[in-house]
Amino acid sequence: MTMLEQGTISIHTENIFPIIKKSLYSDHEIFLRELVSNAVDAIQKLKMVSLAGELSGEVEEPKIQITLDKEKKTLAISDNGIGMTVDEVKKYINQVAFSSAEEFIQKYKAGDEQPIIGHFGLGFYSSFMVAKHVEIDTLSYKEGAQAVHWSCDGSPTFQLEESSRTTRGTTITLTLQDEEGEYAESARIKQLVKTYCDFMPVPIELDGETINRQKALWRQSPSSLTKEDYLEFYRYLYPFQEEPLIWVHLNTDYPFLVNGILYFPRLKPDVDVTKGQIKLFCNQVFVSEHCEEIIPKFLLPMRGVIDSPDIPLNVSRSALQMDRTVRKIADFIAKKVADRLKELYRDSKEQYINCWQDIGTFVKFGCLNDDKFKKQVEDIIIFRSTAELNANAGSDTPAVEVQSEEGDVWQQVNPPSNSAGGPSYTTIKEYLERNKERHENRVFYCTDEVNQSTYVQLHKNQGLEVLFMDSFIDPHFISFLEREYQDVKFSRVDSELDDKLIEKDKASEIVDPTTNKTRSEQIKDLFQNALNKPKLTIRTEALKSDDAKGTPPAMVLLPEFLRRLRDMNALMQQQELSQFPEEHILVINTAHPMIQNLGNISQGSIIQGEGQSPSGELANMICHHVYDLALMAQKGFDAEGMQNFVERSNKLLTSLTERAAGV
């Protein structure tokens, strides 16, 4: 072997290798990604040279081969790409392409707190993080080129010699440091290739086996892919997960290059919506599990892949957030997601509605955080409704409005809710239009279908439509809706009673001549004396119903502004809802038979000595029980209140059973 040159890499780089080992990459394993990336680049460059007609002879099938020797602790990566000449080795390897170590730090180090992710082109030097000796054996594609052998032991000293290599391409051989022996293990290398190099467009071989997929689905045309293609890719990326709801295929080359596939997963209660699960690639090379700076934060729970060479990878997070290209990419992604949702709403409403419980959270969160996104999706926000919207369609389809292409003209269409005739869904605009004659500019809503079921049924019985706003984000979204619809009053079903729910004709009420009070006034006095709560407002109303037994005997109302103040305080203090406010309203339903019977029991009671008669005590206990049941629907009990309720209930039931048994 003839010595061509011996020297030092650069007079300014005495400290370059310690810097590489400590500052270049956050993980040592990244070296494999960098070396394989360089090998792919060499193969791609050879292809370009061949297409330009500058290559004599045939181009072999591209291939990267990894060879391990566990005994010698060596790892070699070979490609059949473009190769290097002596001058190119001197230029790209010896000079490190920098004038000094200081400039190297300034340009590529992101700071102590945030190491740089990686910068392709410097990749060769990452090998010194794990190797004590590195060799390059290369032969250029150029006619008459001399094969070259370069070696370095991690100091600024290198050796450049002639090589006996006869095949075009490059082999990088690492003699591993003693503590880095894991990288001579086949299983470890296979794992790293799958992580970082799985979608590189060149086959990577180890032990005679191709170990990477090569096929990057996101780089293919959507028209060439089937539903099963997308689902199979999702299963590969996220094994053992439920299948995604829908997906968005990103593909743009102006004003920046972005490809990718994003999936809407089913949201689970334990999902951390602040951490992204989208994989970031650069030219099919895996870079990071986290895309928090690139993805709008309301889309972070999405999954999938984004691939872009235009994202600046070698800057800190704070700088990345301020980068103009990154902001444009984030806006582009949000728009593409909105376009996909509108397309689904327009073309497949049944699927849209079936997905709404999950995708609705994304949409609402997006509206709260992004005005551009809000304008794009505001007409496809739907809510489950108590109205039988499918009746006029002759099938199980709710009526949903869409905006026509001409402008603000709204057209009613009839999408199927689901094949089994499930719940109906509507937009706010449709709700307001449909109920304009009954209660103009007013929306009744429910946030807890179970605990507020009594109130909902009361509204339904009187033909009042109620919307369900019961997702965890809806308390914030209702405030957003009130800003959007400033003339509309949003009333939770348990905040007040609409006039249509109340029988207003009290002229027929008989006045008791002995007390000069109506029956309603007597019942009110009975509850006030029994409960003895000065801050409690007690009202007596006759609730409308075809069957009085089907209405609640009493209801607790908490005015909208008081409830929101309570919710806000709990949110600000980051704790559970505070104690139920003492100032609230108890509505006694005088039309209910139990309340009427209670009045009769009270009238029949007589005072005995210093205490009440058994009838009076029973009436008192029933008043407490009626109030407790009404309060329970508002989740108004703390631990002590629940204990008192159980004790009073047992006492009441004991008294009733004694009466029934004639004790």
Side-chain angles (χ1 to χ4, degrees):
M1 186 178 289
T2 303
M3 178 72 70
L4 295 176
E5 186 174 341
Q6 184 169 352
T8 57
I9 292 175
S10 167
I11 64 170
H12 297 288
T13 56
E14 292 85 353
N15 298 317
I16 192 71
F17 291 109
I19 293 169
I20 287 171
K21 291 176 181 179
K22 294 180 180 179
S23 304
L24 180 54
Y25 298 103
S26 55
D27 294 317
H28 283 194
E29 66 182 32
I30 222 78
F31 83 92
L32 189 74
R33 179 192 77 179
E34 298 298 292
L35 295 182
V36 173
S37 297
N38 286 347
V40 172
D41 287 345
I43 289 171
Q44 303 286 33
K45 288 175 182 176
L46 182 67
K47 183 178 179 181
M48 295 170 63
V49 166
S50 176
L51 291 173
E54 298 176 10
L55 176 67
S56 60
E58 295 294 318
V59 177
E60 300 170 320
E61 282 295 315
K63 181 173 66 173
I64 296 170
Q65 193 163 5
I66 300 177
T67 306
L68 305 176
D69 190 322
K70 193 172 179 181
E71 296 285 326
K72 296 180 179 178
K73 285 191 178 177
T74 61
L75 178 152
I77 298 174
S78 300
D79 67 68
N80 54 359
I82 196 167
M84 288 184 286
T85 64
V86 173
D87 289 340
E88 287 169 338
V89 170
K90 291 179 181 180
K91 179 178 180 181
Y92 297 120
I93 303 300
N94 293 351
Q95 294 182 21
V96 199
F98 299 100
S99 61
S100 70
E102 290 78 14
E103 182 180 345
F104 175 88
I105 295 174
Q106 279 298 113
K107 193 167 184 181
Y108 292 101
K109 186 181 177 186
D112 294 333
E113 296 181 2
Q114 179 61 33
I116 62 175
I117 298 170
H119 190 275
F120 309 128
L122 286 175
F124 168 72
Y125 297 96
S126 65
S127 58
F128 287 99
M129 292 191 298
V130 298
K132 59 185 178 184
H133 191 260
V134 179
E135 299 172 76
I136 302 173
D137 200 48
T138 183
L139 175 61
S140 172
Y141 77 98
K142 293 179 180 178
E143 201 73 46
Q146 168 65 52
V148 183
H149 182 269
W150 179 96
S151 63
C152 179
D153 61 1
S155 70
T157 302
F158 70 88
Q159 287 186 328
L160 190 60
E161 305 167 305
E162 288 185 356
S163 168
S164 58
R165 182 184 182 109
T166 58
T167 56
R168 181 180 56 237
T170 301
T171 299
I172 310 288
T173 303
L174 312 185
T175 301
L176 298 167
Q177 299 168 20
D178 293 341
E179 64 272 22
E180 306 288 356
E182 63 184 281
Y183 299 113
E185 301 278 355
S186 293
R188 180 72 166 120
I189 296 303
K190 286 181 179 179
Q191 179 247 326
L192 291 179
V193 168
K194 182 175 181 179
T195 299
Y196 296 105
C197 314
D198 212 15
F199 300 102
M200 291 183 178
V202 176
I204 302 170
E205 293 185 1
L206 174 64
D207 299 331
E209 173 192 2
T210 300
I211 57 174
N212 65 322
R213 283 171 66 97
Q214 305 165 57
K215 180 181 175 184
L217 204 72
W218 62 87
R219 299 294 291 265
Q220 296 180 235
S221 169
S223 61
S224 69
L225 300 174
T226 66
K227 174 183 176 182
E228 188 55 35
D229 289 330
Y230 287 107
L231 291 177
E232 190 275 333
F233 183 55
Y234 184 83
R235 296 179 196 122
Y236 180 74
L237 291 176
Y238 308 100
F240 312 112
Q241 298 291 316
E242 285 188 80
E243 293 198 343
L245 300 166
I246 58 173
W247 47 86
V248 184
H249 198 134
L250 308 173
N251 191 349
T252 186
D253 55 12
Y254 182 82
F256 37 72
L257 184 61
V258 175
N259 292 281
I261 301 172
L262 300 182
Y263 295 86
F264 280 99
R266 294 191 181 277
L267 292 181
K268 300 295 183 183
D270 58 349
V271 169
D272 186 347
V273 297
T274 66
K275 292 185 178 179
Q277 298 191 56
I278 296 169
K279 300 176 187 294
L280 177 62
F281 285 73
C282 178
N283 291 327
Q284 296 169 241
V285 181
F286 175 74
V287 175
S288 174
E289 287 278 4
H290 304 291
C291 294
E292 284 86 348
E293 298 85 3
I294 304 157
I295 299 293
K297 65 179 180 178
F298 62 90
L299 296 177
L300 281 179
M302 294 186 77
R303 295 174 180 170
V305 166
I306 288 178
D307 188 337
S308 175
D310 292 329
I311 296 170
L313 302 176
N314 58 323
V315 291
S316 67
R317 289 186 182 183
S318 58
L320 186 57
Q321 289 171 336
M322 299 304 293
D323 184 88
R324 183 179 300 177
T325 300
V326 171
R327 286 199 300 268
K328 288 182 178 179
I329 290 175
D331 288 344
F332 165 76
I333 292 170
K335 182 181 184 303
K336 292 297 290 185
V337 168
D339 290 344
R340 177 70 178 101
L341 293 175
K342 288 188 289 187
E343 174 191 38
L344 187 67
Y345 180 81
R346 181 184 66 243
D347 299 337
S348 183
K349 291 194 178 64
E350 179 175 2
Q351 185 183 2
Y352 182 84
I353 289 171
N354 288 338
C355 295
W356 179 251
Q357 183 175 353
D358 291 282
I359 64 175
T361 302
F362 289 96
V363 172
K364 293 171 185 175
F365 192 43
C367 289
L368 293 173
N369 289 276
D370 189 318
D371 284 339
K372 291 180 183 177
F373 184 78
K374 179 203 75 174
K375 288 181 172 61
Q376 291 171 314
V377 300
E378 59 188 356
D379 297 332
I380 60 171
I381 299 171
I382 56 177
F383 298 89
R384 184 161 58 95
S385 170
T386 58
E388 298 293 334
L389 302 181
N390 51 20
N392 59 4
S395 64
D396 296 323
T397 55
V400 183
E401 293 178 339
V402 295
Q403 193 173 19
S404 68
E405 294 294 325
E406 289 73 28
D408 292 329
V409 180
W410 284 81
Q411 301 172 339
Q412 190 172 18
V413 295
N414 295 297
S417 56
N418 59 48
S419 57
S424 300
Y425 283 81
T426 183
T427 64
I428 291 288
K429 283 193 175 183
E430 184 193 39
Y431 176 97
L432 293 171
E433 180 63 28
R434 186 167 50 250
N435 294 288
K436 185 164 57 175
E437 301 299 325
R438 299 181 61 79
H439 47 83
E440 187 172 14
N441 288 338
R442 189 168 184 189
V443 174
F444 297 105
Y445 69 94
C446 160
T447 60
D448 188 328
E449 187 172 4
V450 174
N451 285 296
Q452 295 164 20
S453 60
T454 299
Y455 303 86
V456 172
Q457 193 60 47
L458 194 66
H459 284 72
K460 285 180 64 176
N461 290 345
Q462 298 307 315
L464 298 179
E465 182 180 355
V466 177
L467 299 183
F468 292 93
M469 300 182 179
D470 50 5
S471 76
F472 72 91
I473 199 173
D474 279 337
H476 309 285
F477 197 67
I478 290 166
S479 299
F480 162 80
L481 289 173
E482 288 175 326
R483 292 193 299 272
E484 294 294 301
Y485 299 91
Q486 295 189 8
D487 296 332
V488 177
K489 182 179 181 181
F490 287 78
S491 300
R492 204 168 89 172
V493 289
D494 57 352
S495 64
E496 56 186 289
L497 295 178
D498 188 79
D499 288 345
K500 294 181 177 60
L501 304 177
I502 300 171
E503 186 64 65
K504 285 296 185 181
D505 185 12
K506 295 187 178 181
S508 59
E509 280 209 67
I510 301 173
V511 177
D512 187 334
T514 59
T515 61
N516 203 31
K517 293 183 178 181
T518 65
R519 172 59 68 93
S520 294
E521 291 170 335
Q522 290 175 339
I523 290 174
K524 181 178 179 180
D525 288 345
L526 175 64
F527 273 87
Q528 282 180 331
N529 293 330
L531 300 177
N532 190 28
K533 291 182 178 291
K535 295 186 178 181
L536 175 65
T537 300
I538 298 177
R539 285 172 23 201
T540 52
E541 306 283 3
L543 300 182
K544 287 183 181 178
S545 176
D546 295 334
D547 178 15
K549 291 182 180 178
T551 59
M555 304 172 74
V556 166
L557 304 179
L558 185 61
E560 193 85 11
F561 78 95
L562 280 179
R563 191 195 71 253
R564 294 193 188 189
L565 182 62
R566 177 190 179 219
D567 292 347
M568 186 184 302
N569 288 337
L571 181 65
M572 296 290 288
Q573 297 170 15
Q574 295 185 338
Q575 56 186 229
E576 295 294 324
L577 288 178
S578 55
Q579 188 174 2
F580 196 75
E582 289 184 319
E583 296 182 20
H584 55 274
I585 301 167
L586 176 65
V587 176
I588 309 298
N589 179 14
T590 56
H592 197 283
M594 185 176 72
I595 299 300
Q596 295 174 352
N597 294 338
L598 180 60
N600 294 334
I601 292 173
S602 174
Q603 284 187 328
S605 65
I606 54 176
I607 302 296
Q608 294 181 340
E610 296 181 358
Q612 283 185 313
S613 68
S615 294
E617 289 182 0
L618 178 61
N620 188 300
M621 284 191 289
I622 292 174
C623 286
H624 273 283
H625 195 73
V626 168
Y627 173 64
D628 285 344
L629 292 176
L631 195 62
M632 191 176 293
Q634 282 279 17
K635 295 184 178 179
F637 280 156
D638 55 16
E640 183 181 356
M642 178 58 73
Q643 182 180 350
N644 292 336
F645 166 70
V646 172
E647 291 175 356
R648 283 194 296 266
S649 298
N650 290 334
K651 189 175 180 181
L652 173 61
L653 291 173
T654 301
S655 178
L656 290 173
T657 53
E658 287 175 348
R659 279 181 165 245
V663 177

